[in-house]
């Protein structure tokens, strides 16, 4: 009997329906599952996962289990866990430690419980599991063959650890694969952030001024979809090249201080902290809406927002109103946590099909190559990235050209003949 901690195991049937729905829309992962079922690459392997615990993630956990793994999983944000999905996984024989609305302490305890499985492989999203394996649960690190990291912020943390020579086992930067950031960060975040904001507020986007702070892969998607919905888009950046790119993509570019006074909806997506803070809140229009899509809830400075307000109250699910001394109201969505997951279902299934196919293949790669990989940060091998793209194209019924032998030779040569 496997161990679990979920809000209510009786919610399992509803969660199962959600998992079944996304499974149908994840053909690449289905192909990998069939291979894993045949080959059992994870026989005897314990896998610890911490990824936003909703239906697509649940399906990844089941694919790894189908490959022979014993899987333990928690969420990677207290508000993104869906209790019915967690219950369905527990009912399906996976060790689950997660519930929606966990306190900071409960959230950490859940991660520690996941690590008690003594993992051989870790699949992390934002670096919390890896951090624990280098601090509080360091004694477990020697058994870890390696792991995979899902998001930009987690990869930044791993780069810092590698730079300082602190990494205890090899990690693969799944985020940095082309089939990840080009689709998940851009189209996934672009669509799901707006799905989350629109269903939470039930307000119109057309005609509004949307301020996107951070024009990386996620920011590009959020800005593109805002424009598609009819918003005027303002971009704020600290990187001059990306600022210029935003300008040539047709957006207004200005300092955040100036944007604060013109925006109706603000979305932070930088991976940085205090991007919106007291000096911005004081300039904002009455009714300004704030949302974050970056990994941690530090991009909007919540203590400074609270300090600037004379009162606060929840006015609708996932919307908190802060009233400033002169009566202006500012609305914070989803407690400043990633709005697409805290106030939505996350990325579309077809997008996570590719991201999680990369996770599954990278986890297998790290396990199969455990004897030759050093404790460093690795890119996803190019052939795996390519394999995911080929499987996706094939599932879409799209065929593409191949280089002829002459073209191959031409491209490889320097003589031009
Ligand atoms: N919501 C989601 O589902 C989701 C999905 C993928 C990634 N993420 C997270 O979103 C964040 C951004 O990811 P990305 O892939 O776009 O990263 P990225 O590195 O491609 O882009 C971040 C951009 O923000 C800019 N920036 C940094 N600090 C800034 C500041 N103070 N003001 C303005 N701009 C600033 C950088 O110059 C960069 O252009 C990360 O935390 C990542 O983990 C969230």
């Amino acid at each position: 009997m496997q161990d679990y901690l979920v809000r209510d195991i009786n919610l399992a049937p509803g969660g199962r329906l959600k998992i079944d729905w996304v499974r149908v829309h994840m053909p690449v992962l289905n192909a990998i599952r069939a291979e894993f079922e045949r080959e059992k690459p994870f026989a005897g392997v314990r896998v610890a996962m911490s990824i936003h615990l909703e239906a697509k993630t649940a399906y990844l956990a089941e694919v790894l289990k189908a490959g022979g793994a014993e899987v333990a999983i928690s969420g990677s944000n207290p508000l993104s866990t869906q209790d019915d999905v967690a219950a369905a996984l527990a009912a399906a024989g996976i060790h689950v430690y997660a519930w929606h609305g966990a306190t900071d302490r409960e959230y950490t305890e859940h991660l520690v419980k996941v690590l008690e499985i003594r993992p051989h492989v870790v699949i992390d999203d934002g670096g919390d599991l890896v951090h624990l394996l280098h601090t509080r649960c360091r004694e477990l690190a020697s058994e870890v063959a390696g792991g995979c990291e899902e998001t930009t912020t987690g990869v930044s943390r791993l780069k810092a650890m590698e730079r300082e020579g602190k990494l205890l086992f090899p990690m693969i930067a799944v985020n940095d694969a082309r089939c990840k950031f080009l689709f998940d960060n851009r189209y996934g975040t672009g669509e799901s952030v707006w799905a989350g904001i629109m269903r939470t507020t039930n307000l119109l986007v057309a005609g509004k001024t949307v301020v996107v702070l951070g024009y990386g892969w996620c920011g590009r998607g959020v800005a593109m979809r805002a424009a598609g919905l009819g918003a005027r888009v303002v971009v704020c950046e600290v990187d001059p090249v990306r600022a210029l790119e935003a300008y040539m993509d047709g957006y207004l570019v200005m300092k955040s201080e100036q944007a604060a006074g013109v925006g109706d909806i603000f979305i932070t997506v930088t991976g940085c902290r205090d991007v919106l803070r007291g000096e911005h809140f004081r300039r904002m229009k009455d009714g300004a809406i704030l949302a974050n899509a970056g990994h941690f809830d530090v991009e909007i400075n919540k203590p400074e927002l609270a300090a600037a307000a004379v009162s606060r109250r929840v006015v609708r699910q996932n919307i908190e109103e802060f009233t400033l001394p002169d009566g202006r109201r500012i609305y914070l969505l989803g407690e400043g946590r990633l709005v697409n997951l805290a106030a939505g279902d996350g990325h579309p299934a077809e997008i996570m099909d590719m991201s999680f196919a990369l996770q599954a293949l990278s986890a297998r790669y790290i396990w199969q190559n455990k004897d030759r990989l050093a404790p460093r940060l690795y890119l996803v091998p190019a052939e795996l990235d390519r394999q995911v793209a080929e499987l996706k194209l094939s599932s879409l019924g799209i065929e593409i050209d191949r280089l002829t032998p002459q073209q191959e030779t031409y491209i490889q040569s320097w003589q031009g003949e």
Side-chain angles (χ1 to χ4, degrees), residues 52 125-126 149-156 175-176 180-181 184-186 188-190 192-193 212-222 235-243 245 256 268-277 292-296 299 337-341 346-347 352:
H52 302 288
D125 184 347
E149 170 54 53
E150 171 76 3
T151 198
T152 317
T153 285
V155 170
S156 305
N175 180 74
D176 294 358
K180 165 66 168 63
F181 68 80
D184 175 311
N185 300 33
R186 183 166 42 171
T189 312
S192 62
V193 158
V212 180
L213 298 110
Y215 200 65
W217 288 106
C218 295
R220 291 175 178 111
V222 173
V235 170
C236 303
E237 250 295 342
V238 291
D239 177 331
V241 178
R242 291 206 162 156
E245 184 187 351
S256 56
T268 52
V269 64
T270 65
C272 188
R273 61 174 305 151
D274 306 329
V275 182
L276 288 177
R277 47 190 186 269
N292 168 51
H295 188 77
F296 286 115
E299 304 211 6
R337 300 185 190 273
L338 323 98
V339 69
N340 55 329
L341 283 144
H347 293 358
M352 295 318 290

Coordinates of all heavy atoms in Angstrom, one line a residue, residues 52 125-126 149-156 175-176 180-181 184-186 188-190 192-193 212-222 235-243 245 256 268-277 292-296 299 337-341 346-347 352, ligand 1:
H52 N 4.0 21.5 -11.0 CA 2.6 22.0 -10.8 C 1.6 20.8 -10.9 O 1.5 20.2 -12.0 CB 2.2 23.1 -11.7 CG 3.1 24.2 -11.6 ND1 3.1 25.1 -10.6 CD2 4.1 24.7 -12.5 CE1 4.1 26.0 -10.7 NE2 4.7 25.8 -11.9
D125 N 10.8 21.6 -10.8 CA 10.2 22.7 -11.5 C 10.4 23.9 -10.7 O 9.6 24.2 -9.8 CB 8.7 22.5 -11.8 CG 8.1 23.6 -12.7 OD1 8.7 24.6 -12.8 OD2 7.0 23.4 -13.2
G126 N 11.5 24.6 -10.9 CA 11.8 25.8 -10.1 C 12.9 25.6 -9.1 O 13.4 26.5 -8.4
E149 N 15.3 19.7 -15.0 CA 14.7 20.9 -14.5 C 13.8 21.5 -15.6 O 14.2 21.6 -16.7 CB 15.7 21.9 -14.1 CG 15.2 23.3 -13.8 CD 14.1 23.4 -12.8 OE1 14.2 22.9 -11.7 OE2 13.1 24.1 -13.1
E150 N 12.6 21.9 -15.2 CA 11.5 22.3 -16.1 C 11.6 23.7 -16.5 O 11.2 24.1 -17.7 CB 10.2 22.0 -15.5 CG 8.9 22.5 -16.1 CD 8.5 21.7 -17.4 OE1 9.2 20.7 -17.7 OE2 7.6 22.1 -18.0
T151 N 12.0 24.6 -15.6 CA 11.7 26.0 -16.0 C 12.9 26.9 -15.9 O 13.9 26.6 -15.3 CB 10.6 26.6 -15.1 OG1 10.1 27.8 -15.7 CG2 11.0 26.9 -13.7
T152 N 12.8 28.1 -16.5 CA 13.9 29.1 -16.6 C 14.5 29.4 -15.3 O 15.7 29.4 -15.1 CB 13.3 30.4 -17.3 OG1 12.5 30.1 -18.3 CG2 14.5 31.3 -17.8
T153 N 13.6 29.7 -14.3 CA 14.1 30.1 -13.0 C 14.9 29.0 -12.3 O 16.0 29.2 -11.7 CB 12.9 30.5 -12.1 OG1 12.5 31.8 -12.5 CG2 13.3 30.6 -10.6
G154 N 14.4 27.7 -12.5 CA 15.2 26.6 -11.9 C 16.5 26.4 -12.6 O 17.5 26.2 -11.9
V155 N 16.5 26.6 -13.9 CA 17.8 26.5 -14.7 C 18.8 27.6 -14.2 O 20.0 27.4 -14.0 CB 17.6 26.6 -16.2 CG1 18.9 26.7 -16.9 CG2 16.8 25.3 -16.6
S156 N 18.3 28.8 -13.9 CA 19.1 29.9 -13.5 C 19.8 29.5 -12.1 O 21.0 29.7 -11.9 CB 18.4 31.2 -13.2 OG 17.7 31.6 -14.3
N175 N 14.2 23.0 -19.8 CA 13.7 24.3 -20.2 C 14.4 24.9 -21.5 O 13.8 25.5 -22.3 CB 13.9 25.4 -19.1 CG 13.3 26.7 -19.6 OD1 12.1 26.9 -19.7 ND2 14.2 27.7 -19.9
D176 N 15.7 24.5 -21.6 CA 16.5 25.1 -22.6 C 16.5 24.4 -24.0 O 17.2 24.7 -24.9 CB 18.0 25.3 -22.2 CG 18.1 26.3 -21.0 OD1 17.0 26.9 -20.7 OD2 19.2 26.6 -20.5
K180 N 11.0 23.0 -25.9 CA 10.4 23.5 -24.7 C 10.2 25.0 -24.8 O 9.0 25.4 -25.0 CB 11.3 23.2 -23.5 CG 11.1 23.9 -22.2 CD 9.7 23.6 -21.6 CE 9.5 24.1 -20.2 NZ 9.5 25.6 -20.0
F181 N 11.2 25.8 -24.8 CA 11.0 27.2 -24.6 C 10.3 27.9 -25.8 O 9.6 28.8 -25.6 CB 12.3 28.0 -24.2 CG 13.4 28.0 -25.3 CD1 13.3 28.9 -26.3 CD2 14.5 27.2 -25.3 CE1 14.3 29.0 -27.3 CE2 15.5 27.2 -26.2 CZ 15.4 28.1 -27.3
D184 N 6.4 26.0 -25.1 CA 5.8 26.1 -23.8 C 5.9 27.5 -23.3 O 4.9 28.1 -22.9 CB 6.6 25.1 -22.9 CG 6.3 25.1 -21.4 OD1 6.2 26.2 -20.8 OD2 6.2 24.1 -20.8
N185 N 7.1 28.1 -23.2 CA 7.3 29.4 -22.6 C 6.5 30.5 -23.5 O 5.8 31.4 -22.9 CB 8.7 29.8 -22.5 CG 9.5 28.8 -21.6 OD1 9.2 27.7 -21.6 ND2 10.5 29.3 -20.9
R186 N 6.6 30.3 -24.8 CA 6.0 31.4 -25.6 C 4.5 31.1 -25.9 O 3.7 31.9 -25.4 CB 6.7 31.4 -27.0 CG 6.2 32.5 -27.9 CD 7.1 32.8 -29.1 NE 7.6 31.6 -29.7 CZ 8.3 31.6 -30.9 NH1 8.5 32.7 -31.5 NH2 8.8 30.5 -31.4
G188 N 2.6 28.5 -24.8 CA 1.9 28.0 -23.6 C 1.5 29.1 -22.6 O 0.4 29.3 -22.3
T189 N 2.6 29.9 -22.3 CA 2.4 30.9 -21.3 C 1.5 32.0 -22.0 O 0.6 32.6 -21.3 CB 3.7 31.6 -20.9 OG1 4.6 30.5 -20.5 CG2 3.5 32.5 -19.7
G190 N 1.8 32.3 -23.2 CA 1.0 33.3 -23.9 C -0.5 33.1 -23.8 O -1.3 33.9 -23.5
S192 N -2.2 30.6 -21.8 CA -2.8 30.2 -20.5 C -2.8 31.4 -19.6 O -3.7 31.5 -18.7 CB -2.0 29.1 -19.9 OG -0.7 29.4 -19.7
V193 N -1.9 32.4 -19.7 CA -1.9 33.6 -18.9 C -3.2 34.3 -19.2 O -3.9 34.7 -18.2 CB -0.7 34.5 -19.1 CG1 -1.0 35.9 -18.7 CG2 0.5 33.9 -18.3
V212 N 3.5 44.5 -20.2 CA 4.2 43.2 -20.0 C 5.6 43.5 -19.5 O 6.4 44.2 -20.2 CB 4.3 42.4 -21.3 CG1 5.0 41.1 -21.1 CG2 2.8 42.2 -21.8
L213 N 6.0 43.1 -18.3 CA 7.3 43.3 -17.8 C 8.2 42.1 -18.0 O 7.9 41.1 -17.3 CB 7.2 43.8 -16.3 CG 6.3 45.0 -16.1 CD1 5.0 44.7 -15.5 CD2 7.1 46.1 -15.4
G214 N 9.2 42.2 -18.9 CA 10.0 41.1 -19.2 C 9.6 40.6 -20.6 O 8.5 40.2 -20.8
Y215 N 10.5 40.7 -21.5 CA 10.2 40.3 -22.9 C 11.1 39.1 -23.3 O 11.9 39.1 -24.3 CB 10.4 41.5 -23.9 CG 9.7 41.3 -25.2 CD1 8.3 41.3 -25.3 CD2 10.4 41.2 -26.4 CE1 7.7 41.1 -26.5 CE2 9.8 41.1 -27.6 CZ 8.4 41.0 -27.6 OH 7.7 40.9 -28.8
G216 N 11.1 38.1 -22.4 CA 11.8 36.8 -22.8 C 10.9 35.9 -23.5 O 9.9 36.4 -24.2
W217 N 11.1 34.6 -23.4 CA 10.2 33.7 -24.2 C 8.8 33.8 -23.7 O 7.9 33.7 -24.5 CB 10.8 32.3 -24.1 CG 12.0 32.2 -25.0 CD1 13.3 32.2 -24.5 CD2 12.1 32.3 -26.4 NE1 14.2 32.2 -25.6 CE2 13.5 32.3 -26.7 CE3 11.1 32.5 -27.4 CZ2 13.9 32.4 -28.1 CZ3 11.6 32.5 -28.7 CH2 12.9 32.5 -29.0
C218 N 8.6 33.9 -22.4 CA 7.2 34.0 -21.9 C 6.6 35.3 -22.2 O 5.5 35.4 -22.7 CB 7.2 33.8 -20.4 SG 7.7 32.1 -19.9
G219 N 7.4 36.4 -22.0 CA 6.9 37.7 -22.2 C 6.4 38.0 -23.7 O 5.4 38.6 -24.0
R220 N 7.2 37.4 -24.6 CA 6.9 37.5 -26.0 C 5.5 36.9 -26.3 O 4.7 37.5 -27.0 CB 7.9 36.8 -26.9 CG 9.3 37.4 -26.9 CD 10.2 36.5 -27.7 NE 11.5 37.1 -27.9 CZ 12.6 36.6 -27.3 NH1 12.5 35.5 -26.5 NH2 13.8 37.1 -27.5
G221 N 5.2 35.8 -25.7 CA 4.0 35.1 -25.9 C 2.8 35.9 -25.3 O 1.7 36.1 -25.9
V222 N 3.0 36.4 -24.0 CA 2.0 37.1 -23.3 C 1.7 38.4 -24.1 O 0.5 38.8 -24.3 CB 2.5 37.5 -21.9 CG1 1.5 38.4 -21.2 CG2 2.6 36.2 -21.1
V235 N 5.8 47.3 -23.3 CA 6.8 46.3 -22.8 C 7.8 47.1 -22.0 O 8.3 48.2 -22.4 CB 7.5 45.6 -23.9 CG1 8.7 44.8 -23.4 CG2 6.5 44.6 -24.6
C236 N 8.2 46.5 -20.8 CA 9.3 47.1 -20.0 C 10.4 46.0 -19.9 O 10.1 44.8 -19.7 CB 8.8 47.4 -18.6 SG 7.4 48.5 -18.5
E237 N 11.6 46.4 -20.1 CA 12.7 45.5 -20.2 C 13.9 46.1 -19.5 O 14.0 47.3 -19.3 CB 13.1 45.1 -21.6 CG 12.8 43.7 -22.0 CD 13.5 42.6 -21.3 OE1 14.6 42.9 -20.7 OE2 13.1 41.4 -21.3
V238 N 14.9 45.2 -19.2 CA 16.2 45.8 -18.7 C 17.3 45.4 -19.7 O 18.4 45.9 -19.6 CB 16.6 45.2 -17.3 CG1 15.7 45.8 -16.2 CG2 16.5 43.7 -17.3
D239 N 17.0 44.5 -20.6 CA 18.0 44.1 -21.7 C 17.7 44.9 -22.9 O 16.6 44.9 -23.5 CB 17.8 42.6 -21.9 CG 18.7 42.1 -23.0 OD1 19.1 42.8 -23.9 OD2 19.0 40.9 -23.0
P240 N 18.8 45.7 -23.3 CA 18.5 46.6 -24.5 C 18.2 45.9 -25.8 O 17.4 46.4 -26.6 CB 19.9 47.4 -24.6 CG 20.9 46.6 -23.8 CD 20.1 45.8 -22.8
V241 N 18.7 44.7 -26.0 CA 18.4 44.0 -27.2 C 16.9 43.6 -27.2 O 16.2 43.7 -28.2 CB 19.4 42.8 -27.4 CG1 19.0 42.0 -28.7 CG2 20.8 43.2 -27.4
R242 N 16.5 43.0 -26.1 CA 15.1 42.6 -26.0 C 14.2 43.7 -26.1 O 13.1 43.7 -26.6 CB 14.9 41.7 -24.8 CG 15.7 40.4 -24.9 CD 15.1 39.3 -24.1 NE 15.5 38.0 -24.6 CZ 15.6 36.9 -23.8 NH1 15.2 37.0 -22.6 NH2 16.0 35.8 -24.3
A243 N 14.6 44.9 -25.5 CA 13.7 46.1 -25.6 C 13.6 46.5 -27.0 O 12.5 46.8 -27.5 CB 14.4 47.2 -24.7
E245 N 13.9 44.6 -29.6 CA 13.1 43.6 -30.3 C 11.6 43.8 -30.1 O 10.8 43.8 -31.0 CB 13.4 42.2 -29.8 CG 12.7 41.0 -30.4 CD 13.0 39.7 -29.8 OE1 13.9 39.6 -28.9 OE2 12.3 38.7 -30.1
S256 N 9.4 51.3 -16.5 CA 8.2 50.8 -15.7 C 7.6 51.9 -14.9 O 6.4 51.9 -14.7 CB 8.7 49.6 -14.8 OG 9.7 50.1 -14.0
T268 N 3.9 40.6 -14.8 CA 5.3 40.4 -14.6 C 5.7 39.0 -15.1 O 5.0 38.0 -14.8 CB 5.7 40.6 -13.2 OG1 4.9 39.7 -12.4 CG2 5.5 42.0 -12.7
V269 N 6.8 38.9 -15.8 CA 7.2 37.6 -16.3 C 8.7 37.6 -16.6 O 9.2 37.5 -17.7 CB 6.3 37.1 -17.5 CG1 6.5 38.0 -18.7 CG2 6.6 35.7 -17.9
T270 N 9.5 37.9 -15.5 CA 10.9 38.2 -15.6 C 11.8 37.1 -15.0 O 13.0 37.0 -15.3 CB 11.2 39.5 -14.9 OG1 11.0 39.3 -13.5 CG2 10.4 40.7 -15.5
G271 N 11.3 36.4 -13.9 CA 12.2 35.6 -13.1 C 13.0 36.4 -12.1 O 13.9 35.9 -11.5
C272 N 12.7 37.7 -12.0 CA 13.4 38.7 -11.1 C 12.5 39.1 -10.0 O 11.3 38.7 -10.0 CB 13.8 39.9 -12.0 SG 14.9 41.0 -11.1
R273 N 13.0 39.8 -9.0 CA 12.2 40.2 -7.9 C 11.8 41.7 -7.9 O 12.5 42.5 -8.5 CB 12.8 39.8 -6.6 CG 14.2 40.5 -6.3 CD 14.7 40.2 -4.9 NE 13.6 40.6 -3.9 CZ 13.5 40.0 -2.8 NH1 14.2 39.0 -2.4 NH2 12.5 40.4 -1.9
D274 N 10.8 42.1 -7.2 CA 10.4 43.5 -7.0 C 10.3 44.2 -8.3 O 10.7 45.4 -8.4 CB 11.4 44.2 -6.1 CG 11.6 43.4 -4.8 OD1 10.7 42.8 -4.3 OD2 12.8 43.5 -4.3
V275 N 9.7 43.6 -9.3 CA 9.6 44.3 -10.6 C 8.5 45.3 -10.5 O 8.7 46.4 -11.1 CB 9.3 43.2 -11.7 CG1 9.2 43.8 -13.1 CG2 10.4 42.1 -11.7
L276 N 7.5 45.0 -9.8 CA 6.5 46.0 -9.5 C 6.5 46.2 -8.0 O 6.5 45.3 -7.2 CB 5.1 45.6 -9.9 CG 4.8 45.6 -11.4 CD1 3.4 45.0 -11.7 CD2 4.9 47.0 -12.0
R277 N 6.7 47.5 -7.6 CA 6.9 47.8 -6.1 C 6.2 49.1 -5.8 O 5.6 49.7 -6.6 CB 8.4 47.8 -5.8 CG 9.2 48.6 -6.8 CD 10.7 48.4 -6.7 NE 11.4 49.3 -7.5 CZ 11.8 49.1 -8.8 NH1 11.5 47.9 -9.3 NH2 12.3 50.0 -9.5
N292 N 1.1 38.0 -12.1 CA 2.4 37.5 -12.3 C 2.4 36.2 -13.0 O 1.5 35.4 -12.8 CB 3.1 37.3 -10.9 CG 4.4 36.6 -11.1 OD1 5.3 36.9 -11.9 ND2 4.6 35.5 -10.3
A293 N 3.3 36.0 -14.0 CA 3.5 34.7 -14.6 C 4.9 34.2 -14.5 O 5.2 33.1 -15.0 CB 3.1 34.9 -16.1
G294 N 5.7 34.8 -13.7 CA 7.1 34.3 -13.4 C 7.0 33.2 -12.4 O 6.0 33.1 -11.7
H295 N 8.0 32.5 -12.2 CA 7.9 31.3 -11.4 C 7.6 31.5 -9.9 O 6.8 30.9 -9.3 CB 9.2 30.4 -11.5 CG 9.1 29.1 -10.8 ND1 8.4 28.1 -11.4 CD2 9.5 28.7 -9.6 CE1 8.4 27.0 -10.6 NE2 9.0 27.4 -9.5
F296 N 8.3 32.5 -9.3 CA 8.1 32.7 -7.9 C 7.2 34.0 -7.6 O 7.2 34.9 -8.5 CB 9.4 32.9 -7.1 CG 10.1 31.5 -6.9 CD1 11.3 31.3 -7.6 CD2 9.5 30.5 -6.2 CE1 12.0 30.1 -7.4 CE2 10.2 29.3 -6.0 CZ 11.4 29.1 -6.7
E299 N 7.8 38.7 -7.9 CA 7.9 39.7 -8.9 C 7.1 41.0 -8.6 O 7.5 42.1 -8.9 CB 7.6 39.1 -10.3 CG 8.4 37.9 -10.6 CD 8.7 37.6 -12.0 OE1 8.4 38.5 -12.9 OE2 9.3 36.6 -12.3
R337 N 1.0 34.7 -7.5 CA 1.6 33.5 -7.9 C 1.3 33.3 -9.4 O 0.4 34.0 -9.9 CB 1.1 32.3 -7.1 CG 1.4 32.5 -5.6 CD 1.0 31.2 -4.9 NE 1.0 31.5 -3.4 CZ 2.1 31.3 -2.7 NH1 3.3 30.9 -3.2 NH2 2.1 31.5 -1.4
L338 N 2.0 32.4 -10.1 CA 1.8 32.3 -11.5 C 0.3 32.2 -11.9 O -0.4 31.2 -11.5 CB 2.4 31.0 -12.1 CG 3.7 30.5 -11.6 CD1 3.5 29.4 -10.6 CD2 4.6 30.0 -12.7
V339 N -0.2 33.2 -12.6 CA -1.6 33.4 -12.7 C -2.2 32.3 -13.6 O -3.4 31.9 -13.3 CB -1.9 34.8 -13.3 CG1 -1.5 34.9 -14.8 CG2 -3.4 35.1 -13.2
N340 N -1.4 31.7 -14.5 CA -2.0 30.7 -15.4 C -2.2 29.4 -14.6 O -3.0 28.6 -15.1 CB -1.1 30.5 -16.6 CG 0.3 30.2 -16.3 OD1 0.8 30.7 -15.3 ND2 0.9 29.4 -17.1
L341 N -1.5 29.2 -13.5 CA -1.7 28.0 -12.8 C -2.4 28.2 -11.5 O -3.2 27.3 -11.1 CB -0.3 27.4 -12.5 CG 0.3 26.7 -13.7 CD1 1.8 26.9 -13.8 CD2 0.0 25.2 -13.7
G346 N -3.2 26.0 -16.3 CA -1.8 25.9 -16.8 C -1.9 25.8 -18.4 O -2.9 26.1 -19.0
H347 N -0.7 25.4 -18.9 CA -0.6 25.4 -20.4 C -1.6 24.4 -21.0 O -1.9 23.4 -20.4 CB 0.8 25.0 -20.8 CG 1.8 26.0 -20.4 ND1 1.6 27.2 -19.8 CD2 3.2 26.0 -20.6 CE1 2.7 27.9 -19.7 NE2 3.7 27.1 -20.1
M352 N 2.1 20.9 -23.3 CA 2.8 20.1 -22.3 C 3.1 18.7 -22.9 O 4.0 18.0 -22.3 CB 1.9 20.0 -21.0 CG 1.7 21.3 -20.3 SD 3.2 22.4 -20.3 CE 4.2 21.5 -19.1
Ligands
LIG1 N1 3.8 30.8 -16.0 C1 4.3 29.8 -16.6 O1 3.6 28.8 -16.8 C2 5.8 29.8 -16.9 C3 6.2 29.0 -18.0 C4 7.6 29.0 -18.3 C5 8.4 29.8 -17.5 N2 7.9 30.6 -16.5 C6 8.8 31.5 -15.7 O2 8.6 32.8 -16.2 C7 9.8 33.5 -16.0 C8 10.4 34.1 -17.3 O3 10.8 33.0 -18.1 P1 11.4 33.2 -19.6 O4 11.6 31.9 -20.1 O5 10.5 34.2 -20.3 O6 12.8 33.9 -19.2 P2 13.7 34.7 -20.1 O7 15.1 34.7 -19.4 O8 13.6 34.3 -21.5 O9 13.1 36.2 -20.0 C9 13.1 37.0 -18.9 C10 13.2 38.5 -19.4 O10 12.9 39.3 -18.3 C11 13.8 40.4 -18.4 N3 14.0 41.0 -17.0 C12 14.7 40.5 -16.0 N4 14.6 41.3 -14.9 C13 13.8 42.3 -15.3 C14 13.2 43.5 -14.6 N5 13.5 43.7 -13.4 N6 12.4 44.3 -15.3 C15 12.1 44.1 -16.6 N7 12.6 43.0 -17.3 C16 13.4 42.1 -16.6 C17 15.1 39.8 -18.9 O11 16.0 40.8 -19.5 C18 14.6 38.8 -19.9 O12 14.5 39.4 -21.2 C19 10.7 32.6 -15.2 O13 10.6 32.7 -13.8 C20 10.2 31.2 -15.6 O14 10.6 30.2 -14.7 C21 6.6 30.6 -16.2

